[in-house]
Amino acid sequence: MKQPASKLEKVLKSGHFAVTGELGPPKSADVETVKHHADEMRNHVEAYNITDNQTAIVRTSSIGVAATLMQMGLEPVVQMTVRDRNRIALQGDLLGAASFGVRNFLCLQGDHGKFGNEPGSKNVNDLDSMQWINAVKRMRDDNVFIGGEELEHPLPNIFIGAVANPFADPFEYRPYRLAKKIAAGVQFVQTQCIFDLDRFEKWMEKVRELGLHEKVYIMGGVTPIKSLGAARYMKNNVSGMIVPDALIDRLKGAQDKKKEGLNIAIETIQRLQEIEGVAGVHVMAIAWEEMVPEIVERAGLYPRPAVD
Amino acid sequence: MIVGDRKPLAEIAEMLQPYNKICVLGCGACVTVCLSGGEKEAAETAATLSIWRKKEGKEVEVSSETMLRQCEYEYIDELAEKIKGYDVILSLACGVGVQAMTERLSDKVILPGLNTQFFGYPLEQGVWTENCLGCGDCVLDMTMGICPIARCSKSMLNGPCGGSQDGKCEVSEDVDCAWQLIYERLGKLGVIDRMDPVQPPKDWSTSHHGGPRTVVREDARVETTSEQA
């Protein structure tokens, strides 16, 4: 058996409920704010997802920010979408990131370019996310590029991640799509933000029935809602996301919306810990990164396990 | 026109394996003109399929039909009765025809007998060339009639690149360098200064990169709607 590729894999493997955070790179080359946020949660997460030109908006690259995190002694999960790079660039960038120590990669499709700040751009989509997952696995395990040529030296061990969305349609197909990602080579998945826990539990039921939770580490995605407007926006404008009316009503009825938003996130994480097959939580506190320590502590997940 | 190329017979035979009553359906439009999916090709394909299956010991009832345009509901409706009894329709239309047929005759299985290649035209008898990508924002005015999007391998708007040699593209000796052609054309027409401006990044959202496209013409619409209803 190979040694775990990363701290994240170690924590998951040891059976601890893992915690990852998320950092969104800036629309500039000044990464001071990202460094600040990374520092804030340094004792509360195993690793940090770094988004890849998220929502098709130009930002410092995920690999660039990963280099900064590595210098800070922190562990990145480098997101790589297939939207902006063909297979040559994807494979080359993966090698580049691995060359300075990145071990967690999260392979995803990426939002369509029309949603971002370069709506006139080409959407590359040379590979799809499934093919990209499999390509990374084959580079690691079989030492070959997609085109069949061999790598000059074997890759270090890499922990392969992907996303799963229990809230997209067709709902019945979603667990099978996860199964397909597992077959392609994925080892951990992070889900879309969970606001509809009933639907998530239904999805998990099927996931367990198929035995998928024993083949992949499933990390539930949780986002603390900062305001009623944010909740409504996600409900009405973000495809593949479900925000139940009950949640909107609860926020509406609350005196302090922010406090209630935090409470909801914390309760969600507590419930996730009770669900068989959920291996961890991915906290996406976008533009609210400073709350991650409080969320993790109040959810009963602090201190983080020492695995080294 | 849309240029197609018939799939290899082995591939067609494989996809038709489960079926025993087959109609090979030609299309009277583009693919007739490019000699890949018209009446003649449909008859030939049907005959060859019949022999192929006989050799395999799995005899099959196969015949051929041709219709004017598989990409229009009006013609599809006229055909519907005729093809009722078949298990499967092997369409020799382009991908547009196969899908229009599938949409309109949703209880029938329509399979593709062609590989749809491109928008192009015949250079000479038996040779077709690609010259339009349907990008949704034509630049032929800028280049005086030669498309750099379709005909430059890199779709450059400020070419030629460093791989242009002896009028040929670095991709293949069989491919002309579109920017060599544009350069010569602009020179001949006395507008060589059109090479000078730095052309900004193209807005690809008008192409497939903006997602699957629909053209709506309100002036034409009323009639179509009443006809369909």
Side-chain angles (χ1 to χ4, degrees):
Chain A
M1 255 326 244
K2 273 188 186 168
Q3 286 302 305
S6 64
K7 183 172 157 196
L8 177 60
E9 186 177 3
K10 258 184 218 167
V11 170
L12 287 165
K13 218 170 178 172
S14 69
H16 292 289
F17 199 81
V19 181
T20 47
E22 183 152 305
L23 299 171
K27 286 185 254 187
S28 76
D30 180 352
V31 294
E32 285 312 309
T33 306
V34 173
K35 286 165 78 171
H36 173 71
H37 289 320
D39 244 340
E40 276 175 342
M41 51 180 120
R42 112 171 4 243
N43 298 317
H44 292 80
V45 300
E46 270 69 69
Y48 304 79
N49 272 38
I50 308 164
T51 52
D52 177 10
N53 293 315
Q54 191 179 10
T55 56
I57 289 170
V58 185
R59 298 168 181 283
T60 291
S61 69
S62 53
I63 292 173
V65 171
T68 300
L69 284 197
M70 298 288 299
Q71 284 164 2
M72 296 168 71
L74 301 174
E75 183 169 304
V77 176
V78 166
Q79 294 197 356
M80 292 184 84
T81 76
V82 297
R83 178 191 58 228
D84 308 323
R85 283 169 286 190
N86 70 5
R87 65 190 78 182
I88 300 172
L90 284 169
Q91 294 179 102
D93 281 353
L94 184 126
L95 296 182
S99 76
F100 62 79
V102 175
R103 296 295 177 262
N104 305 310
F105 290 92
L106 190 101
C107 309
L108 62 170
Q109 192 73 32
D111 296 322
H112 196 280
K114 76 187 287 184
F115 299 116
N117 61 357
E118 298 288 359
S121 62
K122 276 191 180 179
N123 285 262
V124 178
N125 298 326
D126 174 26
L127 305 179
D128 65 23
S129 52
M130 201 71 73
Q131 295 159 342
W132 178 221
I133 291 163
N134 191 242
V136 177
K137 178 187 161 63
R138 294 204 60 214
M139 283 167 82
R140 182 194 65 193
D141 296 349
D142 304 338
N143 203 49
V144 288
F145 294 113
I146 296 168
E149 202 182 356
E150 290 200 357
L151 281 70
E152 287 172 354
H153 292 284
L155 272 179
N157 193 12
I158 274 175
F159 195 36
I160 306 173
V163 290
N165 189 355
F167 309 105
D169 292 323
F171 177 65
E172 324 75 66
Y173 176 66
R174 292 290 148 183
Y176 295 95
R177 180 160 165 83
L178 176 60
K180 196 165 166 177
K181 285 190 176 177
I182 295 168
V186 89
Q187 296 167 286
F188 73 100
V189 292
Q190 295 167 336
T191 74
Q192 173 67 289
C193 309
I194 303 164
F195 298 114
D196 185 345
L197 262 161
D198 294 341
R199 172 127 162 179
F200 180 77
E201 286 192 2
K202 240 183 252 165
W203 178 78
M204 278 302 301
E205 253 170 52
K206 189 69 191 177
V207 163
R208 285 194 302 271
E209 192 187 311
L210 296 171
L212 306 180
H213 63 304
E214 285 159 356
K215 298 176 183 163
V216 70
Y217 298 111
I218 297 166
M219 304 182 73
V222 173
T223 287
I225 300 181
K226 225 174 168 178
S227 68
L228 188 54
R232 283 193 176 130
Y233 180 82
M234 285 190 279
K235 181 182 174 67
N236 299 323
N237 299 305
V238 182
S239 56
M241 204 177 251
I242 296 178
V243 183
D245 288 331
L247 190 148
I248 303 263
D249 291 342
R250 182 171 161 188
L251 273 177
K252 224 188 275 177
Q255 280 281 320
D256 186 337
K257 315 283 184 210
K258 287 190 175 181
K259 200 172 153 198
E260 198 64 2
L262 280 183
N263 288 342
I264 293 169
I266 289 156
E267 286 166 29
T268 305
I269 299 173
Q270 286 166 340
R271 255 179 88 177
L272 288 178
Q273 292 176 70
E274 305 299 315
I275 300 174
E276 189 195 343
V278 177
V281 63
H282 176 53
V283 185
M284 293 170 273
I286 306 303
W288 214 9
E289 289 84 354
E290 65 272 21
M291 297 317 299
V292 171
E294 182 182 332
I295 293 170
V296 173
E297 286 173 23
R298 285 177 53 200
L301 292 169
Y302 188 82
R304 302 303 309 140
V307 286
D308 285 317
Chain B
M1 75 176 98
I2 294 177
V3 178
D5 209 8
R6 213 200 62 193
K7 283 182 176 289
L9 194 73
E11 186 185 338
I12 291 176
E14 171 72 27
M15 74 170 86
L16 294 177
Q17 200 67 35
Y19 306 101
N20 293 314
K21 282 187 81 176
I22 302 166
C23 177
V24 180
L25 185 62
C27 179
C30 312
V31 293
T32 292
V33 186
C34 73
L35 310 176
S36 53
E39 190 175 355
K40 183 166 156 266
E41 292 77 23
E44 278 170 8
T45 302
T48 322
L49 259 177
S50 171
I51 296 166
W52 180 289
R53 286 280 287 259
K54 210 176 217 171
K55 267 199 285 189
E56 284 190 333
K58 264 194 80 183
E59 281 203 46
V60 66
E61 187 183 318
V62 50
S63 57
S64 68
E65 293 283 348
T66 303
M67 61 189 281
L68 195 53
R69 279 204 288 278
Q70 292 188 28
C71 58
E72 285 197 49
Y73 284 174
E74 194 186 333
Y75 299 110
I76 297 172
D77 291 346
E78 280 172 21
L79 180 87
E81 195 58 30
K82 230 179 196 177
I83 58 170
K84 225 175 177 177
Y86 294 101
D87 298 343
V88 65
I89 311 299
L90 180 76
S91 164
L92 296 192
C94 66
V96 179
V98 175
Q99 293 181 76
M101 296 272 296
T102 299
E103 186 73 29
R104 195 64 167 177
L105 307 173
S106 59
D107 57 336
K108 292 247 91 58
V109 176
I110 320 284
L111 299 178
L114 289 197
N115 290 319
T116 307
Q117 299 286 354
F118 49 74
F119 301 156
Y121 72 109
L123 271 183
E124 57 186 82
Q125 184 67 24
V127 180
W128 290 266
T129 189
E130 174 172 32
N131 63 1
C132 177
L133 279 185
C135 73
D137 185 15
C138 193
V139 297
L140 288 171
D141 56 326
M142 177 182 99
T143 58
M144 288 303 199
I146 297 164
C147 180
I149 307 300
R151 297 175 66 183
C152 167
S153 299
K154 300 172 185 173
S155 291
M156 293 173 72
L157 283 164
N158 292 284
C161 75
S164 175
Q165 203 145 40
D166 300 325
K168 296 295 176 188
C169 171
E170 68 178 21
V171 165
S172 162
E173 280 179 9
D174 300 329
V175 176
D176 289 331
C177 168
W179 276 98
Q180 173 83 38
L181 299 175
I182 292 168
Y183 176 70
E184 286 167 10
R185 174 110 180 121
L186 296 181
K188 199 171 119 189
L189 293 173
V191 289
I192 195 69
D193 57 345
R194 290 199 184 182
M195 294 290 289
D196 298 343
V198 176
Q199 297 297 335
K202 186 173 169 63
D203 179 358
W204 290 101
S205 68
T206 58
S207 74
H208 180 74
H209 290 284
R213 294 167 283 177
T214 306
V215 171
V216 180
R217 281 255 318 274
E218 288 303 342
D219 56 332
R221 210 177 179 190
V222 184
E223 208 182 331
T224 319
T225 314
S226 60
E227 222 171 79
Q228 279 182 340

